[in-house]
Amino acid sequence: MKLEFEKMKVEHLDQVTEIEKKCFLTPWSRYAFTYEILQNDFAHYIVALVDNQVVGYAGMWVVIDEAHITNVAVHPNYRGKQIGESLMKQMFIRAALRGAAKMTLEVRRSNEPAKRLYTQMGFKEYGVRKGYYSDTNEDAIIMWKDELLKIGKTRNNVNS
């Protein structure tokens, strides 16, 4: 399986929104993704492709020296193949190349696989947002990763 990454485009959105619906109780709309990739100057979104099919995606906002992960999702048929980890590594590099020194994200308290992945990738828990997820009133764990600029200096072969 050859995994490729590229900047998310409008032509990816049918597949992205299908994955979004399979992965989340309250999925983002096509409009939300369209706004992010076409109008939000702080947003950077990528897709993971296998044979030109979107199998995962990730997004972030980069503001000054901080990156905030907004979305990470992998199609259920492709889980367990390290695509989520690969997407996150791409986001580290792309954030660092845009000047981010650290990265943050929120993750559902109950999402053990995601928390395990983020911890393995160097994120640390720094707080809780009580009732953050409006669909279930579940708390979000706030996680941070430092030292992104070191990553960016070692990698410069990423397409924007």
Side-chain angles (χ1 to χ4, degrees):
M1 175 180 80
K2 184 174 183 216
L3 189 62
E4 298 180 296
F5 299 94
E6 66 179 56
K7 186 175 179 178
M8 187 184 288
K9 301 174 193 147
V10 171
E11 50 265 31
H12 296 127
L13 292 183
D14 287 343
Q15 294 175 73
V16 166
T17 55
E18 281 305 308
I19 295 170
E20 182 79 1
K21 289 175 193 171
K22 292 177 185 300
C23 294
F24 300 107
L25 292 172
T26 309
W28 279 27
S29 67
R30 182 185 180 90
Y31 173 81
F33 283 106
T34 301
Y35 175 81
E36 288 292 291
I37 64 175
L38 296 180
Q39 297 181 351
N40 184 348
D41 292 336
F42 300 106
H44 305 281
Y45 283 75
I46 63 170
V47 292
L49 302 165
V50 173
D51 297 326
N52 292 316
Q53 294 296 308
V54 177
V55 298
Y57 56 90
M60 68 180 162
W61 298 330
V62 179
V63 180
I64 307 174
D65 68 342
E66 293 180 1
H68 184 130
I69 295 292
T70 56
N71 319 65
V72 178
V74 174
H75 191 287
N77 294 347
Y78 288 86
R79 291 187 184 152
K81 299 178 187 306
Q82 299 180 322
I83 295 170
E85 179 180 348
S86 296
L87 281 162
M88 289 301 296
K89 287 178 180 177
Q90 286 286 314
M91 298 311 275
F92 295 162
I93 294 164
R94 291 162 190 261
L97 291 173
R98 287 172 173 80
K102 54 190 171 181
M103 181 178 279
T104 188
L105 55 79
E106 293 93 7
V107 60
R108 286 180 188 266
R109 185 183 293 277
S110 65
N111 192 342
E112 292 301 327
K115 289 191 308 188
R116 208 169 22 258
L117 171 65
Y118 300 143
T119 299
Q120 289 169 356
M121 298 192 84
F123 284 88
K124 296 188 181 353
E125 292 186 20
Y126 276 91
V128 175
R129 295 192 197 282
K130 295 283 186 192
Y132 181 76
Y133 294 99
S134 59
D135 54 1
T136 61
N137 204 39
E138 186 173 357
D139 296 345
I141 305 297
I142 303 165
M143 301 183 85
W144 282 90
K145 177 179 176 63
D146 296 323
E147 300 185 358
L148 289 181
L149 291 178
K150 291 180 184 176
I151 296 167
K153 289 178 183 174
T154 62
R155 296 289 300 264
N156 61 8
N157 60 346
V158 174
N159 296 334
S160 295

